[in-house]
């Protein structure tokens, strides 16, 4: 058995945080003993406790803190850690520094373009440290790998692509009407849903403007995800200005997102940037047809016209047209749903994701290989 320290600097919920929690839960316990480090007592902490874990609270001040690094060094030595697995760019830089100090291998997972902030201080030095220390830098999609190699300077020889996977609850989800009833959706109305915490990259203003183009035509819209702060206020003002108060709902975060998704008639992604888009796969598995923007991840997941519809980002008109097209063509929706569920089951299961990470764990905790061997394995 080998000891793995899992490191992240956010409390969730979110896509990367979900990957972290699922991985800690589903790693083979006879091979890997997990030590989960989280920064606070928020969503991730609660999920890990529910799983029977004892999370380690180690607060990250979101800037370089020698005390934070020293605390991680002590954790690594106290628990005789064999591998550090970090998520997001900041924790990956810290993990590389700790790994260098302690002589422990590091795997880093980067989840989206947002991991690479354009005004990141000392970016070259941080990338150089990551390239030197991290045995594997995992990207969740091939387009994201290209982005970090070309624009971030990540060493391609150290990269690996591991798509995110989903659990069996989405494949088993069936519409029961409860979520629709909560929203007050009337019989015959076509419910268009989206899942995601409110961030500007999600483009929910575009979804609102698309909804305005379809106002009064029998559509209802809902966003499921954390809704708070300045952006939420802006979106509420936009909704009111577009006269969509009755037709567009923000439902907030829900633990039963698989049940909510199953009640959608169509799933819409309006994002400007996505590293992967776990919610796309969740909708596919739940039997919900998908319209998504070409924003990075979805075009790797969806086969245009077969498993979903792809439109250009930033265009309410294109999004609205695609929504109407699928609403009006029940036969097309049925074909897409059947093909998409099959694709999700074959390519994007949580079991497959965990298996691929365990292979990387084995590789990176084996005796140190030469650079040539690492490059050959990547190829």
């Amino acid at each position: 058995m080998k000891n793995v320290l899992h490191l992240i600097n956010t409390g969730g919920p979110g896509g990367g945080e979900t990957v972290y929690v699922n991985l800690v839960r589903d790693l083979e316990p006879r091979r890997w003993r997990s030590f989960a480090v989280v920064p606070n007592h928020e969503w991730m902490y609660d999920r890990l406790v529910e799983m029977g874990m004892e999370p380690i609270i180690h607060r990250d001040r979101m800037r370089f803190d020698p005390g934070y690094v020293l605390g991680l060094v002590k954790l690594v030595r106290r628990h005789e850690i064999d591998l550090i697995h970090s998520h997001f760019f900041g924790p990956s830089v810290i993990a590389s520094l700790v790994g260098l100090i302690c002589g422990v291998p590091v795997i880093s997972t980067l989840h989206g373009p947002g991991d690479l902030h354009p005004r990141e201080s000392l970016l070259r030095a941080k990338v150089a440290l990551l390239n030197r220390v991290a045995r594997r830098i995992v990207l969740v999609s091939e387009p994201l790998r290209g982005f970090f190699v070309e624009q971030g300077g990540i060493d391609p020889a150290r990269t690996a692509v591991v798509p995110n996977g989903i659990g069996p609850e989405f494949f088993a989800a069936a519409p029961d009407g409860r979520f629709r009833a909560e929203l007050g959706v009337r019989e015959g109305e076509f419910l268009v849903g989206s899942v995601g915490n409110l961030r500007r990259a999600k483009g929910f203003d575009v979804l609102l403007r698309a909804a305005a183009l379809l106002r009064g035509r029998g559509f209802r819209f809902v966003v499921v995800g954390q809704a708070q702060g300045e952006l939420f206020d802006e979106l509420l003002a936009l909704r009111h200005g577009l006269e969509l108060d009755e037709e567009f709902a923000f439902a907030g975060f829900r633990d039963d997102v698989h049940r909510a998704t199953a009640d959608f008639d169509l799933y819409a992604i309006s994002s400007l940037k996505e590293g992967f888009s776990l919610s796309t796969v969740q909708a596919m598995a739940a039997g919900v047809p998908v319209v998504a923007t070409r924003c990075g991840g979805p075009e790797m997941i969806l086969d245009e016209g077969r498993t979903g519809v792809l439109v250009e980002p930033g265009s309410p008109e294109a999004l609205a047209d695609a929504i109407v097209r699928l609403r009006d063509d029940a036969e097309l929706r049925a074909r897409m749903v059947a093909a998409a569920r099959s694709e999700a089951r074959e390519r994007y299961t949580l079991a497959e994701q965990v298996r691929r990470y365990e292979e990387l764990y084995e590789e990176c905790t084996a005796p140190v290989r030469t650079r040539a061997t690492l490059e050959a394995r990547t190829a």
Side-chain angles (χ1 to χ4, degrees), residues 5 76 81 83 105 139 150 177 179 201 231 233 240 262 315 323 327 357:
L5 186 85
V76 167
I81 297 299
L83 175 72
L139 295 313
E150 294 164 15
F179 183 64
L231 178 57
D233 293 338
H240 184 69
S315 172
I323 290 170
R327 193 274 304 268
Y357 270 112

Side-chain angles (χ1 to χ4, degrees), residues 177-195:
R178 284 185 290 175
F179 183 64
R180 298 173 73 92
E182 288 179 33
L183 295 176
V185 177
R186 294 183 290 271
E187 186 175 353
E189 288 185 315
F190 194 84
L191 181 60
V192 179
S194 192
V195 174

Side-chain angles (χ1 to χ4, degrees), residues 46-372:
D46 293 340
R47 298 293 82 73
L48 292 164
V49 169
E50 288 171 5
M51 291 156 38
M53 295 283 297
E54 295 183 8
I56 301 169
I57 297 293
H58 194 53
R59 301 190 183 279
D60 184 356
R61 299 181 182 179
M62 306 300 262
R63 59 180 174 79
F64 182 73
D65 178 359
Y68 178 75
V69 174
L70 179 60
L72 289 174
V73 168
K74 291 179 178 178
L75 284 173
V76 167
R77 291 174 174 166
R78 181 187 314 144
H79 297 294
E80 299 181 338
I81 297 299
D82 298 293
L83 175 72
I84 303 171
H85 185 178
S86 58
H87 294 261
F88 302 131
F89 184 74
S92 295
V93 174
I94 296 297
S96 295
L97 181 57
V98 174
L100 184 64
I101 293 170
C102 298
V104 172
V106 173
I107 289 179
S108 297
T109 299
L110 305 178
H111 292 273
D115 274 347
L116 194 63
H117 196 281
R119 294 190 297 275
E120 182 79 38
S121 61
L122 301 174
L123 180 59
R124 287 189 179 181
K126 292 175 180 178
V127 170
L129 178 64
L130 201 58
N131 283 337
R132 177 184 174 186
V133 178
R135 298 278 181 90
R136 275 286 180 261
I137 302 169
V138 179
L139 295 313
V140 296
S141 70
E142 191 59 47
L144 190 64
R145 176 184 178 277
F147 170 81
F148 272 98
V149 169
E150 294 164 15
Q151 298 190 37
I154 295 296
D155 181 0
R158 293 182 180 267
T159 61
V161 174
V162 179
N164 296 335
I166 58 172
E169 67 274 13
F170 283 94
F171 293 102
D176 59 20
R178 284 185 290 175
F179 183 64
R180 298 173 73 92
E182 288 179 33
L183 295 176
V185 177
R186 294 183 290 271
E187 186 175 353
E189 288 185 315
F190 194 84
L191 181 60
V192 179
S194 192
V195 174
N197 298 328
L198 298 194
R199 299 189 180 105
R200 297 194 185 278
K202 294 293 184 182
F204 288 130
D205 59 320
V206 178
L207 185 60
L208 273 162
R209 296 183 191 282
L213 296 172
L214 303 176
R215 188 175 58 242
R217 297 173 62 178
F219 290 95
R220 292 286 297 274
F221 290 79
V222 63
V223 172
V224 177
Q226 274 191 335
Q228 57 190 15
E230 179 183 347
L231 178 57
F232 185 36
D233 293 338
E234 291 176 16
L235 292 173
L236 289 178
L238 178 60
R239 182 181 71 173
H240 184 69
L242 295 171
E243 300 179 6
L244 289 170
D245 291 337
E246 300 300 319
E247 297 177 51
F248 197 114
F250 291 95
F253 173 74
R254 298 177 67 102
D255 277 322
D256 64 343
V257 67
H258 58 290
R259 295 185 183 278
T261 300
D263 264 2
F264 298 162
D265 291 305
L266 184 142
Y267 188 78
I269 295 176
S270 54
S271 295
L272 307 177
K273 293 180 181 179
E274 288 280 356
F276 178 75
S277 183
L278 192 63
S279 64
T280 294
V281 179
Q282 292 171 344
M284 292 165 65
V288 179
V290 178
V291 172
T293 50
R294 299 179 185 273
C295 56
E299 57 264 44
M300 184 198 83
I301 300 167
L302 295 172
D303 183 3
E304 164 63 30
R306 186 179 72 86
T307 59
V309 175
L310 292 164
V311 300
E312 292 307 305
S315 172
E317 295 80 9
L319 192 58
D321 287 347
I323 290 170
V324 171
R325 174 190 168 200
L326 280 177
R327 193 274 304 268
D328 293 345
D329 194 336
E331 184 179 340
L332 176 60
R333 291 202 310 273
R335 288 202 308 270
M336 282 188 176
V337 163
R341 290 193 93 158
S342 176
E343 187 92 347
R345 193 176 297 279
E346 290 176 9
R347 298 181 58 187
Y348 300 114
T349 65
L350 183 57
E352 174 63 12
Q353 175 193 330
V354 172
R355 183 192 68 79
R356 293 178 69 173
Y357 270 112
E358 288 184 331
E359 285 183 349
L360 292 176
Y361 283 15
E362 290 284 8
E363 174 190 300
C364 293
T365 55
V368 177
R369 296 176 173 85
T370 64
R371 186 177 183 83

